[in-house]
Amino acid sequence: MTSKLQVSSPVHRRTFLQIGAAMAGAGALWRAPRALAASDPKIVEAAKKEGTVSLYSSASTGPSNAIAEAFRKKYGINVSVYRAGSADVATRVQTEESAGRTQADALIIEEPALSLMLPYLADYDSPERAAIDAAYKAPSYTLIRMYMAQLGWNTGTVKAADAPRDWKDLLDPKWKGRFGSLDPHVTATTLAWLVMVDKLYGPSYLQGFGANQPKLYASTNAMSQAIVSGEIDMGLTNSFGVIQMADTGAPIAGVVPKNTVLFGGNISVFAKAPHPNAARLFCDFACSAEGQSLINVAGATIPTHPDARAPKAGSLAELGKTHTFSQPDYKKIIADTPKLLAEWDKYVK
């Protein structure tokens, strides 16, 4: 992680994150894959004949454009990018599919929206997936970028000695009206965080959290801007937001508490893709060490390919030594969303 991102006391990692030492260490942003994984030459040829690929992405603008431009330069195939929040992407796909006019070829999206997209996705075992741990892939999608829930604060208004270190610190009365949270009505990452803190601290946590009157924001970018502008002093945000803003020289620092939630973005191919070969070739590129390094460096997120590198975001092998990650059960979260939001609205005004 960057020097501006601190880590808390050591705890044991969860068994589902046993990815081994392959993701540890420094070095070049990406290394030649250990096996000669490569796209099928027939797919490459057919993709170039199709000449274009349409990408729908919930990743932010920087990483979405970075991987699209790199793909265009490598293969000479144009990439049309539609970028929006995961809920908006899902709504657009559902509308187009219901009308029988599939427009998108490839998809980069997070849970729980991914679960809603499964009926429209094709199974595709990209050759570039061979080196990726089985925990990060399913027949119709591959996890290619990850990030964590964390705390961030304005270094100009919050002294180092007073900075929060754990989620329990959000209950301190000194933060009343001075901190922010991502709105769970807009982003499911907050619902996943809510499930985690409820397990850690019990149902009374949300009551104390709401009593401190957090201001709500619709996106990580909006939260980061509010912190650096001084609108709020501190906030519950995501790891990439702090890293990216700190890189601009803005007055922001953060800590990932020892217990945190792990989120991620997945790459998929649509079953009725107008450009099926270009879609598969783009998926190959996004799964590869080269493609994952590009999108994760641009997004300050963590790759899943063992030969990819995004140094500022770190690796799960490194972070797993000091943190315990919880991976959301999004099927349950989707089912429990009305109940979770009702509980949130009861205490957070």
Side-chain angles (χ1 to χ4, degrees):
M1 306 300 279
T2 67
S3 59
K4 297 203 175 186
L5 189 61
Q6 306 160 19
V7 292
S8 310
S9 57
V11 292
H12 294 291
R13 65 200 301 186
R14 292 283 174 89
T15 56
F16 80 89
L17 289 172
Q18 293 175 343
I19 59 173
M23 292 189 71
L29 289 185
W30 70 285
R31 301 177 295 184
R34 58 202 72 199
L36 294 177
S39 300
D40 184 332
K42 293 181 180 179
I43 288 183
V44 176
E45 182 181 359
K48 289 183 176 180
K49 288 181 179 179
E50 290 172 352
T52 188
V53 62
S54 174
L55 170 66
Y56 283 14
S57 176
S58 66
S60 56
T61 301
S64 296
N65 289 346
I67 195 167
E69 179 61 15
F71 180 81
R72 184 192 66 77
K73 287 183 177 179
K74 183 167 186 172
Y75 293 106
I77 298 172
N78 183 57
V79 183
S80 172
V81 180
Y82 166 69
R83 203 224 70 78
S86 57
D88 289 337
V89 170
T91 298
R92 179 164 174 161
V93 169
Q94 290 171 322
T95 300
E96 292 172 351
E97 291 284 348
S98 297
R101 49 182 184 86
T102 303
Q103 301 293 311
D105 297 304
L107 175 72
I108 295 175
I109 201 163
E110 302 173 354
E111 289 279 19
L114 173 65
S115 298
L116 302 176
M117 298 292 94
L118 292 179
Y120 314 119
L121 303 179
D123 289 357
Y124 179 55
D125 189 15
S126 167
E128 295 287 359
R129 302 198 323 164
I132 299 174
D133 191 276
Y136 307 126
K137 53 191 178 185
S140 61
Y141 59 88
T142 306
L143 185 65
I144 60 171
R145 56 192 301 267
M146 296 179 288
Y147 59 94
M148 298 158 288
Q150 80 157 83
L151 296 165
W153 59 84
N154 185 308
T155 55
T157 60
V158 178
K159 296 179 180 179
D162 296 329
R165 292 292 179 269
D166 203 358
W167 305 120
K168 290 185 294 185
D169 294 335
L170 294 176
L171 307 186
D172 191 321
K174 73 180 181 182
W175 298 114
K176 186 172 184 178
R178 297 173 56 199
F179 80 105
S181 170
L182 295 174
D183 189 342
H185 292 274
V186 180
T187 171
T189 59
T190 308
L191 291 180
W193 172 84
L194 181 58
V195 170
M196 180 194 68
V197 294
D198 183 71
K199 289 180 180 178
L200 287 173
Y201 309 119
S204 63
Y205 181 90
L206 183 59
Q207 185 174 356
F209 179 86
N212 269 350
Q213 301 176 357
K215 296 181 179 179
L216 303 183
Y217 297 89
S219 69
T220 299
N221 182 61
M223 169 75 73
S224 299
Q225 293 289 348
I227 292 172
V228 300
S229 71
E231 180 178 320
I232 54 176
D233 293 331
M234 183 265 289
L236 161 60
T237 183
N238 293 316
S239 54
F240 66 85
V242 174
I243 296 171
Q244 290 178 323
M245 195 62 74
D247 276 349
T248 69
I252 190 170
V255 63
V256 178
K258 63 182 181 180
N259 292 283
T260 193
V261 190
L262 189 66
F263 307 111
N266 304 268
I267 180 73
S268 298
V269 171
F270 282 99
K272 298 179 182 179
H275 310 98
N277 295 291
R280 284 160 175 76
L281 185 59
F282 185 86
C283 183
D284 291 348
F285 185 65
C287 288
S288 71
E290 180 183 5
Q292 283 205 29
S293 293
L294 285 162
I295 195 170
N296 285 290
V297 166
T301 45
I302 303 169
T304 60
H305 195 295
D307 296 318
R309 293 292 179 268
K312 291 181 179 179
S315 76
L316 289 184
E318 297 165 353
L319 291 164
K321 297 174 184 177
T322 55
H323 292 75
T324 293
F325 301 109
S326 65
Q327 194 171 39
D329 181 350
Y330 281 109
K331 288 184 179 179
K332 188 173 189 327
I333 288 176
I334 290 173
D336 291 348
T337 291
K339 176 183 175 183
L340 291 169
L341 289 177
E343 191 72 6
W344 175 276
D345 292 340
K346 180 179 179 181
Y347 295 114
V348 184
K349 307 299 182 183

